Amino acid sequence: MMADDDDQDADGDTSTLTKTKPKTDKPPLYKVMLLNDDYTPMEFVVHVLERFFGLSHAQAFEIMLTVHKKGLAVVGVFSFEVAETKVAQVMDFARRHQHPLQCTMEKE
């Protein structure tokens, strides 16, 4: 009696079928940026960077100077949801403290 072998065809071929995995794209990342204005105190910007972006005082001070000198600076790169949340938090915090600080995001 002969056993059935599903892997072999009539010619004795033992080829294996492989499934190709669909490649998943990484989600796009977004840059969160602070923009310079002539009214928001530098100390407030440093505080925002420390509070919402977890930067050390020295890192926050450097980014604040970049914003002041160049007009804007990238604060971090995040997924869409995280970037959107950080922008909303910064804008809300600035408004509650009556500062015109602007925080935006754009696709990297």
Side-chain angles (χ1 to χ4, degrees), residues 13-34:
D13 186 12
T14 59
S15 61
T16 305
L17 294 177
T18 58
K19 289 185 180 177
T20 57
K21 255 186 165 178
K23 285 192 175 184
T24 54
D25 290 335
K26 290 183 181 177
L29 295 176
Y30 291 79
K31 297 186 286 190
V32 174
M33 299 170 290
L34 285 181

Side-chain angles (χ1 to χ4, degrees), residues 45-88:
V45 175
V46 170
H47 179 69
V48 163
L49 292 167
E50 291 171 344
R51 179 173 178 161
F52 296 106
F53 298 95
L55 299 175
S56 70
H57 186 76
Q59 291 169 318
F61 191 82
E62 283 298 315
I63 290 175
M64 176 277 298
L65 284 179
T66 301
V67 171
H68 182 69
K69 292 176 183 174
K70 295 189 176 182
L72 70 98
V74 174
V75 181
V77 179
F78 309 95
S79 67
F80 178 81
E81 292 81 9
V82 173
E84 186 177 50
T85 300
K86 290 201 180 283
V87 168

Side-chain angles (χ1 to χ4, degrees), residues 35-46 48 64 68 94-95 97-102:
L35 285 72
N36 189 42
D37 64 71
D38 293 333
Y39 303 101
T40 304
M42 292 179 178
E43 298 81 23
F44 183 80
V45 175
V46 170
V48 163
M64 176 277 298
H68 182 69
R95 297 302 158 263
H97 289 84
Q98 301 178 344
H99 294 299
L101 181 65
Q102 293 292 306

